[in-house]
Structures are given as structure tokens and as C-alpha cells.
Amino acid sequence: SYVLTQPPSVSVAPGQTARITCGGNNIGSKSVHWYQQKPGQAPVLVVYDDSDRPSGIPERFSGSNSGNTATLTISRVEAGDEADYYCQVWDSSSDLYVFGTGTKVTVL
Amino acid sequence: EVQLVESGGGLVQPGGSLRLSCAASGFTFSSYWMHWVRQAPGKGLVWVSRINSDGSSTSYADSVKGRFTISRDNAKNTLYLQMNSLRAEDTAVYYCARDGGGVYDLDYWGQGTLVTVSS
């Protein structure tokens, strides 16, 4: 089955840039989506189709995808960005949806 | 405003059954694929199942295949998850989510309902 690997944690100072990676075999050929989940809350879609943002999501959130790695970038990090982040793809070969292992972003 | 409200969670013994419901509003329910996703306490998100817009096609994670059944009633704008032969490892918050359409993202989520499997 398809596996998506994320670093368990990323720490960043306020105002700096956080980069969260999502590794998968030839992930560049798939559409990657990113979700933010704060404690006790449901996930929220922050980037879809590699780099598009849903309405209401700040431009500080951006995404890229190439080769074996997709990346979520959070620019000018704020305290409110502290959350768990998950990548997700659809694996066409199995018709299964796959989530990454999740990354906890800590704002120092 | 899109709203998804789950219900039906609770405490059940191993081997027991439970049916979850997800009431949808604020959009044309019958036009969208829908999903169930679960999250065990302190763990990550795990996709469980998907159903297409008219209910004719479903897909399941290997961990629940043969035990869980996803269904929908478009007249009632409601999504269901019938869970049988429950195990301790099925303990989780269960979220319903709407498929964004086209690129296989999940664009709206409910707040979740907790299922606890324990004797």
C-alpha cells in the first residue's frame, strides 16, 4: 500500500518560515492535499491539488510537489499556526485515500 | 454554510455493533462523494471509507473491509457507517467529510463522534 512519510515535528520562531515535507514514491505524479488540525478540533483543508488554497486560507500557506516529496510552506509563522499538519493523496492503483503520518508544528 | 454533524458514537463491547450517522446541510448532498475518517486517541488521521454520490460505488480501508458498511440516504441528506464485529483498535473519533470533487481532497469535515470499544 502507498505510504506517506512526514517528520514528527517542526519548530519555528514567530515570523519565520516553516516547511513540512511529505515523502512518497513518485508523489509528484499525484495531487497532494494538506490539512491543519488544532487540539480538540476537526481537520481543516489548507492546501489542495498541490498548491491551491481554499477560500479563507491565508496566502502565507503554500504548497509544492515534485519527485518524491511534497512540501507545505507556512510563511511569517504566527502563534495561531501551531497545530498538527497532515498530507493526503488518493492512490489510484488501489482506490484508497492515504494520509501522512502527521507533523506537529511548534511555534517557539 | 456547509454543515456536517455526526452522531451515534458511544461505548460498545468488543464484537458488538454500532451505526454512525452524519447529517449534512448547506449543500446539495446528492451531488457529492462522502467519506469517513477516524483518529484514535493521540494518533493520526486514518481514512476509513468512501461512497460515491448515488451510493453505487464504495471503497474501504483494509482494516475495516468486511466489517464496516458505508451507505447514504440522499432523500434524508444523511451518511451512515454501520460498524460490526468491533475491536478495541476501532476506538477512535470518527469524522465524516465531504469530497471536494475532481482532485480527491476532503474539503469540509464534521466535528466527529467518539466510539469506544471496551468491555
Side-chain angles (χ1 to χ4, degrees), chain B residues 11-70:
Chain B
L11 176 64
V12 60
Q13 292 188 338
S17 298
L18 210 57
R19 189 176 83 155
L20 306 183
S21 300
C22 171
S25 61
F27 65 102
T28 304
F29 180 70
S30 60
S31 297
Y32 287 84
W33 293 15
M34 297 293 296
H35 300 261
W36 288 100
V37 177
R38 69 185 182 184
Q39 186 171 36
K43 303 297 185 182
L45 300 174
V46 176
W47 176 81
V48 172
S49 183
R50 175 229 88 204
I51 188 168
N52 71 344
S53 55
D54 66 4
S56 62
S57 173
T58 58
S59 181
Y60 297 92
D62 288 346
S63 58
V64 306
K65 194 176 295 183
R67 300 188 299 123
F68 289 12
T69 302
I70 190 171

Side-chain angles (χ1 to χ4, degrees), chain B residues 49-116:
Chain B
S49 183
R50 175 229 88 204
I51 188 168
N52 71 344
S53 55
D54 66 4
S56 62
S57 173
T58 58
S59 181
Y60 297 92
D62 288 346
S63 58
V64 306
K65 194 176 295 183
R67 300 188 299 123
F68 289 12
T69 302
I70 190 171
S71 62
R72 63 192 298 161
D73 185 334
N74 285 344
K76 295 182 177 180
N77 290 340
T78 303
L79 175 72
Y80 302 101
L81 185 67
Q82 177 66 45
M83 303 185 295
N84 298 331
S85 303
L86 283 162
R87 307 165 180 167
E89 54 265 36
D90 296 318
T91 294
V93 173
Y94 285 73
Y95 296 100
C96 70
R98 191 181 83 166
D99 194 293
V103 292
Y104 307 99
D105 60 319
L106 281 62
D107 63 352
Y108 286 94
W109 297 62
Q111 284 303 306
T113 187
L114 176 62
V115 172
T116 303

Side-chain angles (χ1 to χ4, degrees), chain A residues 30-43:
Chain A
K30 302 180 184 299
S31 289
V32 179
H33 320 298
W34 292 91
Y35 303 87
Q36 176 193 69
Q37 186 181 33
K38 297 181 178 179
Q41 298 185 18

Side-chain angles (χ1 to χ4, degrees), chain A residues 82-94:
Chain A
E82 192 162 277
D84 294 324
Y85 291 83
Y86 297 89
C87 57
Q88 175 254 316
V89 301
W90 173 64
D91 179 27
S92 58
S93 64
S94 60

